[in-house]
Amino acid sequence: MLDHLDVRVRDLSRSIEFYKEILAPLEIALRSQDAFGAIFGDEKNYIWLGEGKVKRIHFAFMANSRAQVEEFWQVGVELGARLHSAPAQQEANYYACYLFDPDGHLIEAVCHEKGDENG
């Protein structure tokens, strides 16, 4: 089970603002912040951001519904994120979308509800 992610970013302020907006549809919020970094989560701390040397990673956020996946995507579009794959049913119980954060990390929102016969 994943406990948390520690992500290095080029511009901490820019990344904090990006993640505040993109994670809001998933009910994941900024929990704390100081000069060294920021922590996002709900009742648990999931993502720790800090400035440093960036190495590209891919991580997925669990959405509670297909609508949350779609809202995550739309927020990314509105933020001007570089887009990878629009929301789509990939497998019977895997509805997801992918985009890149300001540092080129591939981020995903995924819902594990079974899709209907149309996708």
Side-chain angles (χ1 to χ4, degrees), residues 11-78:
D11 182 333
L12 184 59
S13 296
R14 178 178 167 203
S15 291
I16 288 171
E17 291 308 311
F18 177 85
Y19 279 96
K20 277 175 34 180
E21 297 293 326
I22 199 78
L23 295 177
L26 305 179
E27 300 174 10
I28 299 172
L30 178 64
R31 294 188 56 156
S32 68
Q33 159 181 6
D34 61 24
F36 301 103
I39 297 174
F40 289 84
D42 46 27
E43 69 278 352
K44 178 168 176 19
N45 296 333
Y46 293 111
I47 303 167
W48 304 357
L49 298 180
E51 278 187 347
K53 184 175 180 181
V54 175
K55 293 181 181 178
R56 185 176 153 193
I57 57 173
H58 166 203
F59 48 97
F61 299 103
M62 187 178 299
N64 294 319
S65 66
R66 294 165 60 102
Q68 280 189 334
V69 171
E70 291 162 7
E71 187 176 357
F72 178 93
W73 175 261
Q74 186 58 43
V75 171
V77 168
E78 291 168 7

Side-chain angles (χ1 to χ4, degrees), residues 68-116:
Q68 280 189 334
V69 171
E70 291 162 7
E71 187 176 357
F72 178 93
W73 175 261
Q74 186 58 43
V75 171
V77 168
E78 291 168 7
L79 288 170
R82 190 164 53 99
L83 307 175
H84 185 280
S85 300
Q89 194 75 36
Q90 297 176 5
E91 297 175 10
N93 66 341
Y94 204 97
Y95 184 78
C97 67
Y98 304 82
L99 52 89
F100 295 96
D101 80 356
D103 289 292
H105 301 301
L106 183 62
I107 60 176
E108 169 186 357
V110 58
C111 175
H112 292 287
E113 289 179 356
K114 186 171 169 89
D116 64 26

